[in-house]
Amino acid sequence: MTATAPAAVIGLDAGFGGLGGLHGADHLLRTLAARLELPEDACACTHRAADSLGRITFSLGLPDAAAAEAVWDRLAALAGLPGLPGLPGLPGLPDEDRKAGEGGADRPAPFTAVLGNRLLTAAGGRSEAARQAATAAAAEHAARSGGRAVLFPGLAGLPAVLGIAELLARTAIEEVTALGGAAVAPEARLDTRGHLRPEWRDGALRLRLMPAHGGYLPFEIPDPHPCCGDHG
C-alpha cells in the first residue's frame, strides 16, 4: 500500500501537557478518534508543539472532503458536550486556557481545532498559542514532514508478527529502517508488540526498527503499564 497525501487535515490542540507523555496522548487520541468515528483510511498523529510548555498536539488526516466535513461536524458537536476523557484540567496550559478547563466535569472539555481557515473552539476563549499549535500540526501532516502516526491505513487487523514485505503491502508505511539507517530485508520478521508508531518524514511514512531475536521490533516500546486494554 502506498501512502497518499490526505485531502484535508484537521489540527487539534487539546491542551495536553507533558505530564501524561506520549502514551497518555495516544490514549486520548484513540478516544477522540472513536468519538469522531474516523474512517479506517484516516491517519491520526501526535506532534510536539514548538513552545516551552511541552504540549502534545494532534492532527487528523482525512481521505476526502466529505470525510473531513463529517469529522468536523462531529468535533463541533463535541465542543458543546462535557466529558471528553482526559481533557479538562491538564497541566501545561497557558493561563487563559487553564481557566477555560477548570470548573469540573460539567464543563465542556477545552480544545482548539483548525481546518484550513476555519477555527473551532470549546470551553471559552482559547489562546493564540493554541491556534498556532493546532495550525502547525495540520501543516506538518499535510506536508508529510512531521507527525507520529497512532492510527493509519492498514493498521486495523494487522497480525502481531509478520514479514516486512507484508507490512509494506498491507499498510501505509512506506519504508522501514533499522538503527543507524541500515536496510531491512523484505523477508525479515517483525514482532509489532501491538505498537507501531511510524513517523512522517520527507514525504513518506517511515518506521524505525531495532534487531531482536533473529528479527525486528519497533524502536518505540509500548507502555509497560497500560491504562486500559485498547492499545496498539
Side-chain angles (χ1 to χ4, degrees):
M1 180 187 297
T2 301
T4 58
V9 180
I10 295 172
L12 180 68
D13 184 339
F16 192 92
L19 186 64
L22 286 174
H23 297 302
D26 288 1
H27 176 67
L28 175 55
L29 184 54
R30 285 179 171 275
T31 300
L32 184 62
R35 294 282 292 269
L36 296 177
E37 301 177 29
L38 289 191
E40 287 191 355
D41 51 354
C43 184
C45 298
T46 66
H47 303 256
R48 292 283 189 181
D51 57 29
S52 61
L53 301 172
R55 76 168 71 203
I56 298 172
T57 55
F58 307 104
S59 64
L60 309 174
L62 285 309
D64 53 61
E69 287 298 324
V71 170
W72 185 258
D73 288 346
R74 295 183 192 113
L75 193 57
L78 287 182
L81 296 176
L84 188 60
L87 294 186
L90 286 171
L93 293 174
D95 287 343
E96 61 267 38
D97 291 348
R98 183 183 301 280
K99 291 174 183 177
E102 291 173 351
D106 58 340
R107 293 286 300 277
F111 65 81
T112 296
V114 297
L115 174 59
N117 294 325
R118 296 155 71 180
L119 176 67
L120 176 65
T121 63
R126 297 285 285 166
S127 71
E128 176 63 13
R131 185 195 65 79
Q132 291 179 357
T135 300
E140 277 192 348
H141 191 149
R144 301 195 291 181
S145 62
R148 169 182 165 274
V150 177
L151 301 171
F152 52 90
L155 177 62
L158 202 66
V161 179
L162 73 168
I164 296 299
E166 182 181 359
L167 175 76
L168 297 177
R170 292 182 56 166
T171 75
I173 296 172
E174 298 169 84
E175 180 181 292
V176 296
T177 55
L179 290 177
V184 179
E187 65 273 14
R189 304 296 288 175
L190 170 66
D191 181 352
T192 70
R193 298 187 293 190
H195 188 87
L196 294 176
R197 297 295 183 270
E199 298 179 358
W200 288 109
R201 297 197 311 273
D202 301 322
L205 194 59
R206 308 172 191 269
L207 179 67
R208 292 187 298 163
L209 305 178
M210 57 183 177
H213 310 299
Y216 290 89
L217 295 171
F219 180 76
E220 181 177 314
I221 63 173
D223 188 354
H225 304 293
C227 56
C228 68
D230 181 20
H231 292 269

